[in-house]
Amino acid sequence: MKEIKVSIIGFGTVGAGVADILVKNAELMAIRTGVKLKLEKIADLDIVRDRGVKVPEGVLTTDCNQAIAAADVVVELIGGTTFAKKVILDALNAGKSVVTANKALLAHHGAELFAAAEKNHVDLFYEASVGGGIPILKSLREGLAANRIGRICGILNGTCNYILTRMEREHAEFDAVLADAQKLGYAEANPSLDIDGFDTAHKTAILASLAYGQWFAADDVHVEGIRDLDSRDIANADELGYRVKLLGIIKNNNGAVEMRVHPTLVPKKAMLANISDVFNGVMVEGDMVGRTLFYGRGAGRAATASAVVADLVDIGRNILTGSVRRLPAFTEGKLFDRLASMEEIVSRYYLRFTVSDEPGVVASVSQILASHKINLASVIQPENSTKCAELVVLTHPASEKSVTKALDEISVLPFNLSPVRKLRIEEF
Amino acid sequence: MKEIKVSIIGFGTVGAGVADILVKNAELMAIRTGVKLKLEKIADLDIVRDRGVKVPEGVLTTDCNQAIAAADVVVELIGGTTFAKKVILDALNAGKSVVTANKALLAHHGAELFAAAEKNHVDLFYEASVGGGIPILKSLREGLAANRIGRICGILNGTCNYILTRMEREHAEFDAVLADAQKLGYAEANPSLDIDGFDTAHKTAILASLAYGQWFAADDVHVEGIRDLDSRDIANADELGYRVKLLGIIKNNNGAVEMRVHPTLVPKKAMLANISDVFNGVMVEGDMVGRTLFYGRGAGRAATASAVVADLVDIGRNILTGSVRRLPAFTEGKLFDRLASMEEIVSRYYLRFTVSDEPGVVASVSQILASHKINLASVIQPENSTKCAELVVLTHPASEKSVTKALDEISVLPFNLSPVRKLRIEEF
């Protein structure tokens, strides 16, 4: 059986995971798939530190170019968007197929990388960039190839889902849970990429691109993170039958594609609401298949490595059967008309007003909302001992534009004591 | 773009669904995948009845051989295991790749069909045979290729899940719900294949075969259906925090593989417990990826057709890139030692005793269980106005052999008034 030589560039957490699988499960994979993957080189600046993997002698090197030259397939696991980009381009231009998990790089420079892969007639796969170990890209591109995609909603960031799960269970505030998550290693020292929603936006852009045939920029995604979430809103949602999840939402409304990331109220009975802790889940709706959901670990050494190695097996099959580029890195072919603006989206809303406790306030709020054609589904005013009252409103579907206008009007009224809290609701 | 000519044999529900996708979404798929599928022929004895699909002129025929001869790929959707088998063998022997959704045929004659596909060097794909529209076979074979599979648990039959969901929600008895399901078209006039667990067993055998590299016979699967389920046990389970689901369970215990199908108590917080109505879900645990779950419609015209067409796209890609048999129909390669007997499985158990309401009964039952080293996790004796009492016991993990022996002993004692109800519990 011909061996497929694999070089890993970047011996960090996921790199060590990939090496571990290639050492431990290579024989199993050869039996199961007919593809024998050989760990040829691992390149890193630090080849001394113990990563808990027993790597065969001669595999470790600090020479990235040597590692690329020695391989049939190169795995980029450096992270970042500068040196990682150079490594991928070097490998592609040397005629090597590439596997990467680098969503930020793909979201920002995908088009350039895909062009290089096409020019050199090699494969570029990136299953691990979205949903960690979940084979969501394969499912979307291949398993659901027969479908027009109407909606995708994903819990795509394990750190955020872990924080939200704990905020809900422990009735705790964001800052306290984040600090603890950092201590436990579930959140980075600089957590912005995760908690401000950018990582979810990168992944949302990738999913939308595969669904609609144009490589979207991450900047086209409307992003709101979870940093400003108040535990009271999570508690209110709970009481109303919802959980708050950071969702990447993609919809196609008659050709207008929305891409947005924000904390979202999800009905408790929905499958997505029951995805807890660091787990990820992606719901995909197709015109033929109906609703599907894919669930698993969205991060972590072994799960992410599982996805990387699945790509290696795919590329190995292509090399062995002479069908490299059987599945192009990305297939251009626009399946939509235009991007929707945030103003035109239609959603249900959760609104929490902090108002002075005086007669007529509920009437005023309701009137202003009504004047913008926003219909109320329910209004709750919890009993309160202080002079201010909390007013929680769930709306029927309304346009973001109307809601923004209504809230602008309400915010300047004297009875409104602090900024209105607005969360969107997604129904399933 | 070269067209891939597709002939459908069997113009029933799923056949009409496949034709519908090929008529409606062929252009979309050509853009997205680079594969242009052309509906060449549909063969059926009845080509007059309206199936709600607008089929191009000249496509319908009663001549099965003509349809096979005209195609690049043949879709077998006749069902049954006699003529369907002949059609598939004829097509394979004529050098045509084949797509089928026929789990019963595969479970009983898979090895013979795979050999014919190999001999003729053509593809034989069967994604739609398990989990309807869910790309579970692709996920298991390709997406999770890097993993040793430790456990698979699946809700694999929509009819059973629909009946169980309604029994739970409506506190209704099996017979009443089945009759209504038949009226509504969710269950067949002869429902045995579904409700007695055989359909789930076929699918379980296929999943286990792909996980462990030997084509298992459906007869190797231990099967108990849902026909004898009592609504009291569903109510008791509910009270104890469980839902009752018909699961296909596959486990590898140090090389001994279990395959079993039976009604199972699933903790409500588990994802599988939240899969309701006709939906299917498959949980797959791998040594690297951890726990994954795949959810969607397990049956129905469009969902099943979605899976069939995904196979067509895969085969189309292979034909266009000269890589037919890139993924063999089945890869032999034993990844286990032996099949486990039912006696040796270890499980938690739900036991309901109907006993005479007299002193010492609980003690006797407990003593006999203890003498077989069966530890009790909880004992509940609901208040009862009649002379008989109900005693519900949840055990800690115990071997099936011990439990069978203990129940044999208890069943002959005078205080035991009717057969003990035994259900297994699966933890997640």
Side-chain angles (χ1 to χ4, degrees), chain A residues 17 20-21 24-34 125 133-135 138-149 210-212 269 271 274-275 279 287-297 302-307 309-311 313-315 317-318 321-328 331-335, chain B residues 17 20-21 24-34 125 133-135 138-149 210-212 269 271 274-275 279 287-297 302-307 309-311 313-315 317-318 321-328 331-335:
Chain A
D20 196 35
I21 294 182
K24 276 192 197 150
N25 286 3
E27 205 57 44
L28 167 96
M29 287 185 283
I31 293 171
R32 181 185 286 155
T33 68
F125 281 1
I134 310 168
K138 180 178 278 288
S139 295
L140 182 59
R141 302 176 80 184
E142 305 178 42
L144 305 180
N147 291 266
R148 282 172 215 278
I149 305 301
L210 294 175
Y212 298 121
K269 64 172 175 31
M271 295 282 289
N274 292 293
I275 296 175
F279 278 86
D287 61 345
M288 294 299 163
V289 77
R291 188 171 295 167
T292 59
L293 185 124
F294 304 86
Y295 164 90
R297 289 189 174 277
T304 310
S306 167
V309 175
D311 279 349
V313 171
D314 262 349
I315 291 175
R317 281 205 178 97
N318 290 352
T321 59
S323 58
V324 170
R325 291 199 61 81
R326 174 183 174 278
L327 186 73
T331 309
E332 193 82 33
K334 205 175 157 183
L335 298 168
Chain B
D20 195 37
I21 293 181
K24 276 192 197 150
N25 285 4
E27 205 58 44
L28 166 96
M29 287 186 283
I31 294 171
R32 181 184 284 156
T33 68
F125 281 0
I134 309 168
K138 180 177 278 288
S139 295
L140 183 59
R141 301 177 81 184
E142 303 178 43
L144 304 180
N147 291 266
R148 281 171 216 277
I149 305 300
L210 295 176
Y212 299 121
K269 63 174 176 30
M271 295 282 288
N274 292 294
I275 295 175
F279 278 86
D287 61 345
M288 294 298 162
V289 76
R291 188 171 295 167
T292 59
L293 186 125
F294 304 86
Y295 164 90
R297 289 190 175 277
T304 309
S306 167
V309 176
D311 279 349
V313 171
D314 262 350
I315 292 174
R317 280 205 178 97
N318 290 352
T321 58
S323 58
V324 170
R325 292 201 59 81
R326 174 184 174 277
L327 186 73
T331 309
E332 193 82 31
K334 205 176 158 185
L335 298 168

Side-chain angles (χ1 to χ4, degrees), chain B residues 70-125:
Chain B
D72 296 310
V73 190
V74 172
V75 180
E76 180 278 307
L77 294 169
I78 306 163
T81 55
T82 50
F83 186 60
K85 185 180 166 195
K86 181 183 156 12
V87 163
I88 293 180
L89 288 174
D90 284 353
L92 295 174
N93 289 328
K96 316 290 175 154
S97 288
V98 169
V99 176
T100 179
N102 196 328
K103 48 248 166 200
L105 179 58
L106 287 164
H108 290 294
H109 303 282
E112 188 182 345
L113 301 177
F114 300 146
E118 186 176 5
K119 196 188 73 189
N120 293 290
H121 197 76
V122 290
D123 283 324
L124 170 57
F125 281 0

Side-chain angles (χ1 to χ4, degrees), chain B residues 116-339:
Chain B
E118 186 176 5
K119 196 188 73 189
N120 293 290
H121 197 76
V122 290
D123 283 324
L124 170 57
F125 281 0
Y126 42 95
E127 178 66 70
S129 66
V130 181
I134 309 168
I136 179 62
L137 301 192
K138 180 177 278 288
S139 295
L140 183 59
R141 301 177 81 184
E142 303 178 43
L144 304 180
N147 291 266
R148 281 171 216 277
I149 305 300
R151 178 165 67 152
I152 300 176
C153 290
I155 294 172
L156 299 169
N157 183 279
T159 302
C160 288
N161 207 42
Y162 175 82
I163 291 173
L164 291 175
T165 302
R166 284 195 53 189
M167 284 180 75
E168 184 198 332
R169 285 193 192 143
E170 302 166 19
H171 306 284
E173 286 300 339
F174 176 81
D175 289 334
V177 175
L178 172 63
D180 202 48
Q182 286 172 317
K183 254 190 241 158
L184 294 167
Y186 289 124
E188 306 277 342
N190 179 353
S192 176
L193 188 66
D194 292 319
I195 65 170
D196 292 326
F198 301 119
D199 175 75
T200 301
H202 293 149
K203 294 163 176 169
T204 300
I206 292 172
L207 289 173
S209 302
L210 295 176
Y212 299 121
Q214 175 173 307
W215 199 255
F216 294 115
D219 297 343
D220 289 333
V221 182
H222 172 87
V223 186
E224 300 168 27
I226 63 170
R227 194 191 282 269
D228 297 326
L229 258 186
D230 193 315
S231 70
R232 292 169 70 170
D233 295 311
I234 292 179
N236 287 339
D238 186 29
E239 215 163 290
L240 293 160
Y242 295 85
R243 292 210 176 89
V244 179
K245 296 291 181 188
L246 184 70
L247 292 191
I249 298 175
I250 301 159
K251 284 187 196 179
N252 185 345
N253 291 314
N254 301 313
V257 166
E258 321 174 353
M259 296 189 288
R260 46 191 167 104
V261 172
H262 50 69
T264 312
L265 269 66
V266 179
K268 282 182 192 172
K269 63 174 176 30
M271 295 282 288
L272 278 174
N274 292 294
I275 295 175
S276 309
D277 301 310
V278 297
F279 278 86
N280 280 200
V282 187
M283 188 218 70
V284 182
E285 281 176 358
D287 61 345
M288 294 298 162
V289 76
R291 188 171 295 167
T292 59
L293 186 125
F294 304 86
Y295 164 90
R297 289 190 175 277
R301 168 175 149 152
T304 309
S306 167
V308 168
V309 176
D311 279 349
L312 288 173
V313 171
D314 262 350
I315 292 174
R317 280 205 178 97
N318 290 352
I319 292 174
L320 295 176
T321 58
S323 58
V324 170
R325 292 201 59 81
R326 174 184 174 277
L327 186 73
F330 177 65
T331 309
E332 193 82 31
K334 205 176 158 185
L335 298 168
F336 69 108
D337 296 327
R338 62 183 181 85
L339 284 179

Side-chain angles (χ1 to χ4, degrees), chain A residues 86-206:
Chain A
K86 180 182 156 17
V87 163
I88 293 180
L89 289 174
D90 283 353
L92 295 174
N93 289 328
K96 315 290 175 155
S97 288
V98 169
V99 176
T100 179
N102 196 329
K103 48 249 165 198
L105 179 58
L106 286 164
H108 290 293
H109 302 283
E112 188 182 346
L113 301 177
F114 299 146
E118 187 175 4
K119 195 188 73 187
N120 293 289
H121 197 75
V122 289
D123 283 323
L124 171 57
F125 281 1
Y126 42 97
E127 179 65 71
S129 67
V130 182
I134 310 168
I136 179 61
L137 302 192
K138 180 178 278 288
S139 295
L140 182 59
R141 302 176 80 184
E142 305 178 42
L144 305 180
N147 291 266
R148 282 172 215 278
I149 305 301
R151 177 165 68 149
I152 299 176
C153 291
I155 294 172
L156 299 169
N157 183 280
T159 302
C160 288
N161 206 42
Y162 175 82
I163 291 173
L164 292 174
T165 302
R166 284 195 53 189
M167 284 178 75
E168 185 199 333
R169 284 191 193 146
E170 302 167 19
H171 306 284
E173 287 301 338
F174 176 81
D175 289 333
V177 176
L178 172 62
D180 203 48
Q182 286 172 317
K183 253 190 240 159
L184 294 166
Y186 289 125
E188 305 277 344
N190 179 352
S192 175
L193 187 66
D194 292 319
I195 66 172
D196 292 326
F198 301 119
D199 176 74
T200 302
H202 292 149
K203 294 163 176 169
T204 300
I206 292 172

